[in-house]
Amino acid sequence: MRQVRLPQPSRRGVLAAGGALGLTAFLAACGSEKKDGSGKTEGGGKTGPWSFKDDRGETAKRDATPKNIVAFTGVAAALFDYGIEVKGVFGPTKTKDGKPDVQAGDMDVSKLTIIGNEWGQFNIEKYAGLAPDVLLSTMFDDKGTLWYVPEESKDKILKLAPSVGISVYDRQLTHPLQRILELAESLGADVKADKVVKAKKRFEDASERLRKVAKAHKDIKVLIGSASQDLFYVSGSNLSVDLEYFKALGVNIIEPPESAKKASGGWFENLSWENVDKYDADLIMMDNRTSAIQPADIAKPTWKKLPAVKAGQVIPRIAEPIFSYDKCAPILEDLADAIEKAKKLK
């Protein structure tokens, strides 16, 4: 799920049968509440019992604020913006050339233990070796499925530490932003710090500006796309937190019919490259994730003939936002700028 489409490649088993023997005992031997010599936890220094009720309605609990945090890369990047650092990550973290993935945000990926960098990868032994206090991830459905935690090995993984799931499904962007802020605060972040207050104000100002720009440019039609070798995906505003928020602010998003999105569970419409001109778009937002082909690398003649492409009215879409106010404010600002500058093409 991160481009507009939610990827569903076959998932590989992480351990051979019996490979997880002794993991629980190993974890217990390591201990879960270690000190770093300063008496502070890596999460932020809070002491005493810790608990957090997540969007599944489940409450994760520890005797002390989690220190050894393992999180989906995007969640870890958001927490980093609030001063909370994690020990390990899973999900897109490094590109093939070793550079930080877009979802890693400002984190120094060289200092992180990467449990798995791609879909279906999750090294349980490496995870256990971190003596995790808690596992954090997002959820892209209403079934409580933790993003990038492989289905076939989730039972082994979730036995090793409490988990927290933040929903990014069928709601607006403001929900996960608030929930991640609350999670960060529970882990010891100072949410009243000047940096945090200013970032939230910037987000609120950006939201209001996008609302005004969208109202003044109602005729600018925005298409949300994602590219693969064989197909072009057109996302509707429903289900995705960023697009639902854009829509609520008045952005004129092109909506594929529900019947066309049925095969994807309501997320997007599959188009062949021959039919990529099905919709008249003035502005195209393209999935910026490394799992999607980027506009500069699309060689399809039908793509190059699109009016928006010829006019240079193609911008990135942060398909999996880093849910901190610091990272989301620029998304709104950039979209407002693009709509304001866009020329009506048809």
Side-chain angles (χ1 to χ4, degrees):
M1 306 173 184
R2 314 70 263 94
Q3 64 247 35
V4 174
R5 65 190 179 98
L6 307 180
Q8 295 295 331
S10 58
R11 300 177 182 179
R12 290 170 287 178
V14 180
L15 291 179
L21 289 176
L23 287 179
T24 302
F26 173 79
L27 181 59
C30 289
S32 60
E33 306 299 341
K34 298 178 181 177
K35 299 293 182 180
D36 62 4
S38 66
K40 295 182 178 180
T41 62
E42 183 157 335
K46 290 181 68 176
T47 59
W50 173 87
S51 67
F52 187 84
K53 187 174 182 179
D54 72 2
D55 290 342
R56 299 171 296 183
E58 298 181 11
T59 300
K61 297 179 180 180
R62 300 298 307 195
D63 292 337
T65 303
K67 172 186 175 183
N68 296 338
I69 302 169
V70 176
F72 171 68
T73 304
V75 173
L79 292 176
F80 185 86
D81 287 346
Y82 295 118
I84 304 299
E85 297 189 33
V86 306
K87 283 290 185 67
V89 293
F90 54 95
T93 307
K94 289 183 178 180
T95 59
K96 292 180 180 179
D97 59 3
K99 295 180 180 179
D101 189 274
V102 292
Q103 295 190 62
D106 295 331
M107 294 188 297
D108 183 348
V109 297
S110 68
K111 296 181 179 180
L112 297 171
T113 298
I114 300 175
I115 307 299
N117 197 61
E118 298 178 6
W119 183 262
Q121 294 180 352
F122 196 109
N123 189 316
I124 302 180
E125 291 177 323
K126 188 180 288 189
Y127 175 58
L130 292 175
D133 293 328
V134 69
L135 180 147
L136 314 173
S137 192
T138 49
M139 301 182 297
F140 282 85
D141 61 29
D142 56 3
K143 301 175 183 178
T145 305
L146 296 177
W147 190 232
Y148 268 79
V149 174
E151 189 69 19
E152 65 274 11
S153 53
K154 68 175 183 180
D155 291 343
K156 295 176 183 177
I157 294 167
L158 298 181
K159 284 180 180 178
L160 299 178
S163 62
V164 170
I166 301 297
S167 180
V168 293
Y169 173 78
D170 196 18
R171 60 202 65 209
Q172 294 182 21
L173 179 61
T174 46
H175 172 87
L177 276 172
Q178 181 61 32
R179 293 294 281 146
I180 291 290
L181 182 68
E182 292 168 359
L183 177 60
E185 183 177 22
S186 81
L187 294 169
D190 179 4
V191 299
K192 295 182 180 179
D194 189 55
K195 177 183 176 181
V196 177
V197 173
K198 286 182 177 179
K200 188 172 183 181
K201 179 64 165 55
R202 180 183 175 187
F203 176 84
E204 292 168 348
D205 290 346
S207 296
E208 187 55 32
R209 177 166 178 256
L210 180 55
R211 186 192 305 277
K212 291 178 179 178
V213 168
K215 184 177 181 180
H217 299 272
K218 291 181 179 179
D219 59 334
I220 298 298
K221 293 183 289 185
V222 182
L223 183 141
I224 314 299
S226 184
S228 71
Q229 187 61 40
D230 299 320
L231 294 171
F232 185 81
Y233 307 92
V234 179
S235 178
S237 63
N238 191 32
L239 303 183
S240 299
V241 291
D242 59 332
L243 304 184
E244 288 202 12
Y245 193 54
F246 300 161
K247 189 78 170 183
L249 293 175
V251 176
N252 185 5
I253 295 176
I254 291 172
E255 300 283 0
E258 290 302 316
S259 58
K261 297 187 294 180
K262 187 174 181 180
S264 69
W267 290 87
F268 53 85
E269 176 182 7
N270 299 339
L271 292 179
S272 66
W273 283 103
E274 289 74 20
N275 296 315
V276 74
D277 60 352
K278 178 177 178 180
Y279 299 104
D280 294 331
D282 302 300
L283 178 66
I284 301 176
M285 296 184 73
M286 290 294 290
D287 186 347
N288 78 324
R289 287 171 299 175
T290 51
S291 54
I293 300 176
Q294 297 307 297
D297 300 320
I298 300 175
K300 306 289 185 180
T302 49
W303 164 260
K304 294 182 178 181
K305 291 180 181 178
L306 293 176
V309 176
K310 293 170 70 175
Q313 294 180 179
V314 178
I315 64 172
R317 177 202 172 197
I318 314 299
E320 276 191 76
I322 293 170
F323 295 108
S324 71
Y325 290 104
D326 180 71
K327 293 296 184 293
C328 287
I331 294 175
L332 305 181
E333 293 167 348
D334 291 346
L335 180 54
D337 287 344
I339 293 174
E340 198 168 46
K341 295 174 183 177
K343 295 178 181 179
K344 182 64 183 173
L345 301 177
K346 285 188 178 183

